[in-house]
Amino acid sequence: MAEDSEGTDDSEESPRAEAYRRFRRWYHVPVLALVMGYVFWSRFQNYDAFTREGEGVWLQAVDSWYHWRATNWMVENPPSVLGFDPWTGFPDGWTAGQFGTLFDQIVATVALVIGLGNPSESQILLAALVTIPALAALAVIPIYVLGAKMGSRVGGLAGVGLLALFTGQIFVRTTAGQFQHHVAEVFFMSVALLAVVVALRVAERDLPIWEVVLQRDWDALRATTVYSALAGVAITLYLWTWPPAVFFVGILGLFFISQLTVDHYRGRSPDHVAFVGIVSMLVVVAGTAIRVQQSGFSATSLDYLPPALAALVAGGCLFMAWLARQWDARTLPRLGYPVAILVAILATLLVVRVAIPGLFDTLVGNISGRLVWIGHSADALTVQEVAPPENPLSFMRDEYGLAFYTGLAALPVLAFRGIFGGKHRSQYTLVAVWGLVLLSMGLTQIRFNYYLAVGVAVLNAALVGFFLSGISLPETAEDFPEYQVTQVEAYQLLTVAMVLLLVFVPLLPPVASNTPMDLGSQTGPSQDAVKWEESNEWLQENTPAVGNYGGAGNAEQMDYNGRYDRPADGSYDYPDGAYGVMTWWDYGHLVTVQAERIPHANPFQQHARSASAFLTAQNESTAELYLDAIAAGETPTHESDKATLREAVEENPDEPGIQYVMIDDESAMSKFPAITEWTGPDYIDYLSREERSISQNESREVFVGDEYVDTMVANLYLDDARGLEHYRLVHEASEYVIAGFVNNAQASIPVRRLGNATNGSWATVQELGLQRNINLARVFGQALPLGPNQYMYDPYLTSEVKTFERVEGATLAGEIGENATAGNTTIDNLSVSASLSLETGTNRSIQYQQTGEVAADGTFELRVPYPTEETLGPEDGYADSDVLADEPGYEITLEESGAENPVEQAENVSVPELDVQEGGTVAVDLDEFVPDDGEDNGTDNGGENGTENGGENGTENGGENGTENGGENGTENGGENGGNQTDTGNETETTGASARVAGAS
């Protein structure tokens, strides 16, 4: 109801009267308790999905992992705040900014309390899981009070009731495991807004003016000063929690401009409201200035922007109050005052643009990026949560139901009450401005709807309060029989009842398809965290400690939980032996936390452009130049001048570099279009139109990845670094996927169906799987299973995550024999190749091959990245690879173009690992090729019932009735009657437990 009085004090009241009095005063408390309990439990109920009895940590969302990093650091270094961190963003490091803030301090404090000063990892995890839903429940209190102060306790209860039932961004970002600052933002923003509202109400009650300040009548100013200062403290805590909350200071600036202008136009003194703005903003200036972490105006960290903007708002309030007095003293037309204020604002912006261009650019950039839903950059749109809703009306209906529209209806009501109202008019203007800004933010970026949800709740509370204005419960229980409902009250009550039914019923079961309890029971760790855990743990255990790469012995300089000063130039000076890990930016925090290694790119989108350049580089030499340039402090792109990059590399030849590359199935396939947005060209340019066979009787023009297969991401992930000189596969995850091209709306890629074959040439999932545990495929566009009219082309069965080590490569050097150019053979017709069979830790066989030309003087050199024996490990400064040679040595062959057999060869060439790591040279002696015994008795490439190496009845290695490479009724590697790897002449390649179906064309 409306603001209810507490009733009369009757010491002789009856028990019935006393019970009614208490009910009238406290009826909202049990309702609030129920709402808070529901909010907490709906978000916490599935907490055990993240606990694994000491087996590690699982969380939701990428940013959760860096909060985990910051919180653990704070537990190790209480009460310090994580500032500069060299364990991400190699080779520069990163200032924590939005992380390692008050939010992480709260969780760290809870963990220290639970663990009695020395919490275990499981206790820190418990603190993280509990704090998120607990803060969501606590946020109910300030949101309720805000709603109640808009006119009615019933309205406040309606607002928090709606908030508890929303299942959109506000819910998914506040569940256990969502270890992110969003819930703390919601809580502290609500507290800050409430604190400002209270300060304004006190100021409108006590009416402080400039003359009272001059007279130093502190008794008259005390209450307004105290509440205004407390509002400043609340805003400061909000900024300490999330530095981009500086937008809230901007909202207050818009409010003070609006309210002071309206007050002057309506003949009221602007001093009262201006006093609140000046005091609160000066507290914010002081509170944020003491926590400045770096110079500049970034809006993403605690730098000069918050105190500078707060100072501008405080100065603006002082100027507007002063100008109003001057205006009245000269009896100027009141309509001219808003014009003068507008001119003053434009002049101030012009001065800021000239004098402090960094501040001006940040203000403009944040307005366009956070408040205007047009003009997003292409690379920003690759982040789903940053993009605007595709269909705003449909999106808002899904997020809030009809409550969104009733919230919109409250805005003009609030604006009217702010302009024409009397008591507490400024609070209505403030909430209206705040609601409009949140609406714009919610339309600009999907993620900001966790803010708009609070706005919708408060606006609905205000609307209910407006309709209930003037209605209250009877003063005493005895008044009930005489209580009369007037026609106006009946109309008001009916209107409120209809509004509540319309907005609440669609959010309740069984009408709602999903409720918070339903969704909360389905929460679980992010799939990326689960997928990458195995590979990251391998990286931690089987690669050298950071600082000891190459045996540098500087690991003690890179303490994982150490304290590091922010370098003056913003780039950390890593010691020799430090190194970085190249991944797509989505996985950077996982590398930092799960592997305790230093990613180059991270979810701050730091170095996303240079990571894109490497992954989309069209050849190894360019990719190597990019990595060397990164170590030299450059940010390479495809538009970079290569001569400039080489010059930078020559000037910094010994800088620590990136030594490992990790690629998962999504980076290679479904995320590849997003990767190309950062450096271009568009991903469709990596595909080519070709006429391909879809079935026995149908051909179609399709897109295939002819240019894509030349990229580093494809060369490494799909081809296992075959033919590369400086990269070797050292680990692959045990889980497998099927990766390939699929048709989608953007590229319209009709590709071959993966599944039931009609002509024997299609490969089914079971045939590709070879009895492995296969997850859903990663493709250009979407994941399997495919629909009835969708096709996959060039499917690869491969590991989910692959890790590569960057090495110098050993050089195989030799000279051709005198008989190599006998007859009509010339050196120009000769080529040399080296091959080595390898087996991964998952028992998958791969074939490495390197080819090269013979020099005019008859010499040749081939650089290879794999040793024939693994002899070095982390203690030596290198990876302990689990991809091992399956043969005693390399096979080197000298071949003549067009000839069936090699000219010369060398077998079992041993390559020491030290030569691979340090770029040593291995001498190769070629011998004249001599055909194997029994070759004349059979055929090697498709002869009917033929044999290779003299096998009986046309088998290789014992298979019955078999041939290799396309023979009729043929098998490879011993399957009886074709076994389970039948090659019908349609270019099916199989190597051990891996398969790549190359197509039926």
Side-chain angles (χ1 to χ4, degrees):
M1 297 296 175
E3 291 288 345
D4 302 319
S5 64
E6 297 182 8
T8 59
D9 184 14
D10 186 357
S11 58
E12 297 181 358
E13 62 184 349
S14 66
R16 177 169 175 258
E18 181 181 0
Y20 176 77
R21 180 180 59 81
R22 292 187 177 182
F23 167 79
R24 191 172 187 274
R25 184 174 184 179
W26 301 108
Y27 70 86
H28 61 289
V29 174
V31 179
L32 273 179
L34 288 173
V35 172
M36 292 176 67
Y38 180 82
V39 167
F40 177 81
W41 184 248
S42 63
R43 288 156 170 78
F44 185 68
Q45 59 178 310
N46 210 34
Y47 72 95
D48 55 351
F50 304 93
T51 58
R52 294 186 294 157
E53 300 296 333
E55 295 181 7
V57 175
W58 278 349
L59 299 168
Q60 297 186 70
V62 294
D63 285 348
S64 297
W65 292 92
Y66 201 77
H67 279 295
W68 178 259
R69 155 78 173 147
T71 300
N72 276 267
W73 188 95
M74 291 178 179
V75 168
E76 294 292 326
N77 299 277
S80 299
V81 176
L82 177 65
F84 183 80
D85 187 10
W87 282 85
T88 189
F90 186 90
D92 298 310
W94 183 257
T95 300
Q98 303 176 44
F99 298 78
T101 62
L102 180 61
F103 166 68
D104 300 287
Q105 285 181 305
I106 292 171
V107 180
T109 301
V110 173
L112 288 168
V113 171
I114 293 174
L116 301 178
N118 186 30
S120 64
E121 183 180 78
S122 61
Q123 289 171 326
I124 300 173
L125 178 60
L126 176 61
L129 295 177
V130 168
T131 302
I132 305 304
L135 281 173
L138 288 173
V140 167
I141 297 174
I143 295 170
Y144 160 76
V145 178
L146 273 169
K149 289 190 178 299
M150 291 297 105
S152 166
R153 281 189 285 176
V154 172
L157 293 175
V160 296
L162 283 174
L163 192 70
L165 294 175
F166 289 155
T167 56
Q169 294 292 311
I170 186 65
F171 179 80
V172 299
R173 293 175 182 272
T174 57
T175 56
Q178 280 279 2
F179 190 21
Q180 303 187 76
H181 43 66
H182 304 130
V183 66
E185 295 172 51
V186 168
F187 175 77
F188 283 105
M189 180 188 68
S190 303
V191 170
L193 182 64
L194 175 60
V196 176
V197 165
V198 172
L200 290 171
R201 291 167 68 100
V202 173
E204 290 180 336
R205 182 195 68 192
D206 294 349
L207 304 178
I209 58 175
W210 179 243
E211 285 76 11
V212 178
V213 176
L214 292 177
Q215 294 170 5
R216 299 182 179 180
D217 186 356
W218 302 123
D219 289 337
L221 295 173
R222 182 179 293 111
T224 305
T225 302
V226 170
Y227 282 103
S228 298
L230 289 175
V233 171
I235 298 167
T236 300
L237 292 176
Y238 181 24
L239 285 162
W240 284 1
T241 301
W242 191 55
V246 69
F247 84 88
F248 188 77
V249 178
I251 289 176
L252 293 179
L254 293 174
F255 158 71
F256 286 120
I257 291 171
S258 304
Q259 191 64 53
L260 296 180
T261 301
V262 168
D263 283 349
H264 181 262
Y265 183 78
R266 299 284 296 171
R268 308 181 184 113
S269 172
D271 287 9
H272 322 319
V273 174
F275 187 87
V276 174
I278 294 168
V279 174
S280 62
M281 289 298 101
L282 288 178
V283 172
V284 173
V285 170
T288 55
I290 63 175
R291 289 287 298 272
V292 169
Q293 294 179 333
Q294 63 184 42
S295 59
F297 304 92
S298 68
T300 57
S301 61
L302 290 171
D303 52 23
Y304 298 151
L305 179 61
L309 188 58
L312 282 175
V313 174
C317 290
L318 182 62
F319 171 77
M320 290 185 69
W322 171 83
L323 184 63
R325 287 171 171 267
Q326 300 302 313
W327 212 266
D328 291 340
R330 292 166 174 76
T331 63
L332 298 173
R334 291 192 180 275
L335 282 175
Y337 180 78
V339 177
I341 295 300
L342 178 60
V343 172
I345 292 173
L346 294 176
T348 302
L349 290 175
L350 181 61
V351 171
V352 170
R353 181 176 184 180
V354 174
I356 319 176
L359 175 58
F360 180 85
D361 292 342
T362 299
L363 292 175
V364 173
N366 277 269
I367 290 173
S368 63
R370 298 178 187 270
L371 300 178
V372 181
W373 52 93
I374 57 175
H376 287 273
S377 62
D379 49 22
L381 292 176
T382 64
V383 185
Q384 184 178 10
E385 67 174 19
V386 175
E390 291 185 8
N391 187 330
L393 291 180
S394 175
F395 177 84
M396 294 302 175
R397 185 175 61 252
D398 293 340
E399 287 277 313
Y400 314 111
L402 293 177
F404 174 73
Y405 300 101
T406 52
L408 288 181
L411 287 172
V413 173
L414 291 172
F416 180 86
R417 300 183 78 176
I419 296 172
F420 300 104
K423 190 177 180 181
H424 308 317
R425 62 189 179 278
S426 59
Q427 72 177 19
Y428 301 118
T429 305
L430 174 58
V431 173
V433 172
W434 170 75
L436 281 171
V437 173
L438 295 190
L439 174 62
S440 181
M441 292 173 64
L443 291 170
T444 303
Q445 296 187 21
I446 288 174
R447 62 173 174 170
F448 285 138
N449 279 274
Y450 66 88
Y451 274 135
L452 182 55
V454 179
V456 170
V458 173
L459 290 174
N460 275 276
L463 188 66
V464 171
F466 172 74
F467 282 119
L468 289 177
S469 178
I471 301 178
S472 63
L473 291 171
E475 288 292 329
T476 67
E478 285 71 16
D479 292 336
F480 260 107
E482 292 79 25
Y483 185 73
Q484 298 295 320
V485 179
T486 67
Q487 289 184 347
V488 174
E489 290 172 340
Y491 171 78
Q492 290 175 287
L493 291 172
L494 183 61
T495 302
V496 171
M498 290 180 61
V499 169
L500 293 179
L501 285 174
L502 285 172
V503 298
F504 271 97
V505 170
L507 301 175
L508 295 170
V511 178
S513 57
N514 285 303
T515 67
M517 291 300 295
D518 295 332
L519 296 180
S521 66
Q522 300 168 15
T523 58
S526 65
Q527 291 305 304
D528 286 343
V530 176
K531 179 170 68 175
W532 278 68
E533 184 177 54
E534 176 190 343
S535 295
N536 280 327
E537 288 180 350
W538 182 93
L539 194 70
Q540 181 181 18
E541 296 170 1
N542 295 276
T543 59
V546 176
N548 193 43
Y549 193 86
N554 293 319
E556 71 281 353
Q557 298 183 36
M558 292 300 299
D559 183 2
Y560 184 69
N561 286 315
R563 303 188 185 195
Y564 300 90
D565 296 327
R566 185 176 186 275
D569 62 356
S571 182
Y572 187 71
D573 185 16
Y574 287 90
D576 290 343
Y579 60 89
V581 179
M582 174 65 74
T583 66
W584 185 230
W585 65 260
D586 290 19
Y587 311 111
H589 293 339
L590 293 175
V591 173
T592 296
V593 175
Q594 291 181 335
E596 295 190 10
R597 296 297 183 263
I598 311 176
H600 171 62
N602 53 42
F604 305 131
Q605 294 192 339
Q606 183 188 18
H607 300 145
R609 202 167 303 280
S610 50
S612 170
F614 170 82
L615 293 171
T616 57
Q618 292 288 291
N619 53 67
E620 185 180 17
S621 61
T622 299
E624 283 290 283
L625 176 61
Y626 287 167
L627 292 189
D628 290 337
I630 289 170
E634 297 292 320
T635 303
T637 68
H638 297 325
E639 287 73 37
S640 300
D641 180 66
K642 292 186 177 180
T644 302
L645 296 181
R646 292 190 184 96
E647 183 179 345
V649 172
E650 291 172 358
E651 293 175 356
N652 302 274
D654 299 321
E655 291 296 322
I658 293 171
Q659 298 300 148
Y660 295 93
V661 179
M662 301 180 74
I663 302 175
D664 74 335
D665 51 317
E666 292 183 86
S667 301
M669 301 305 297
S670 59
K671 291 184 179 180
F672 185 77
I675 293 174
T676 64
E677 291 287 352
W678 289 85
T679 51
D682 188 79
Y683 87 96
I684 197 66
D685 293 324
Y686 290 88
L687 308 176
S688 302
R689 285 184 180 273
E690 293 184 16
E691 189 75 16
R692 292 297 178 103
S693 174
I694 300 300
S695 66
Q696 284 182 318
N697 303 315
E698 181 183 2
S699 294
R700 194 178 300 175
E701 189 179 56
V702 298
F703 282 101
V704 293
D706 285 353
E707 295 296 323
Y708 165 78
V709 296
D710 291 331
T711 62
M712 282 299 291
V713 69
N715 271 311
L716 290 169
Y717 182 76
L718 296 182
D719 286 340
D720 298 315
R722 183 183 304 168
L724 301 184
E725 298 179 339
H726 299 286
Y727 299 87
R728 64 168 182 156
L729 179 67
V730 290
H731 177 264
E732 65 177 19
S734 57
E735 295 294 322
Y736 273 61
V737 297
I738 302 171
F741 298 93
V742 68
N743 60 301
N744 62 28
Q746 287 180 298
S748 299
I749 311 173
V751 287
R752 197 178 63 187
R753 179 187 300 275
L754 186 65
N756 300 325
T758 58
N759 62 356
S761 64
W762 310 129
T764 66
V765 173
Q766 289 75 19
E767 288 169 350
L768 284 174
L770 303 178
Q771 298 179 348
R772 286 184 178 274
N773 183 16
I774 303 175
N775 291 329
L776 294 181
R778 303 302 177 190
V779 293
F780 272 18
Q782 63 190 77
L784 284 180
L786 303 179
N789 297 316
Q790 294 175 312
Y791 299 83
M792 174 175 279
Y793 190 80
D794 285 356
Y796 289 76
L797 172 69
T798 191
S799 171
E800 282 188 322
V801 185
K802 295 183 180 181
T803 303
F804 302 86
E805 185 177 29
R806 187 182 176 210
V807 297
E808 286 294 322
T811 300
L812 305 179
E815 185 176 0
I816 66 175
E818 295 180 359
N819 297 328
T821 55
N824 297 324
T825 303
T826 65
I827 287 179
D828 292 340
N829 292 331
L830 295 176
S831 63
V832 63
S833 64
S835 64
L836 180 68
S837 292
L838 302 151
E839 186 171 286
T840 71
T842 61
N843 299 318
R844 183 173 69 96
S845 297
I846 60 176
Q847 187 77 21
Y848 173 78
Q849 187 166 11
Q850 182 64 271
T851 60
E853 302 298 325
V854 178
D857 61 357
T859 61
F860 63 87
E861 289 185 350
L862 295 174
R863 182 170 290 185
V864 294
Y866 287 97
T868 52
E869 186 177 358
E870 190 74 14
T871 58
L872 303 176
E875 65 281 357
D876 304 301
Y878 304 105
D880 185 10
S881 175
D882 64 8
V883 179
L884 306 176
D886 201 25
E887 296 178 344
Y890 282 85
E891 180 179 289
I892 317 298
T893 57
L894 181 69
E895 299 174 329
E896 180 184 3
S897 177
E900 181 178 353
N901 294 321
V903 178
E904 295 180 334
Q905 68 176 11
E907 295 182 342
N908 300 330
V909 176
S910 178
V911 176
E913 186 175 5
L914 191 61
D915 288 333
V916 166
Q917 295 290 355
E918 298 183 353
T921 300
V922 176
V924 176
D925 294 325
L926 292 177
D927 296 322
E928 185 175 354
F929 174 74
V930 177
D932 292 337
D933 292 340
E935 182 169 332
D936 291 338
N937 296 324
T939 63
D940 180 23
N941 289 309
E944 181 175 287
N945 295 321
T947 67
E948 179 186 1
N949 298 327
E952 183 177 58
N953 294 323
T955 65
E956 179 191 355
N957 298 326
E960 245 178 62
N961 298 321
T963 64
E964 180 186 8
N965 295 330
E968 186 176 359
N969 298 322
T971 67
E972 181 184 354
N973 295 329
E976 182 176 335
N977 294 321
N980 65 355
Q981 288 299 317
T982 302
D983 180 358
T984 63
N986 290 293
E987 298 180 21
T988 300
E989 260 179 64
T990 62
T991 50
S994 169
R996 172 182 181 265
V997 181
S1001 58

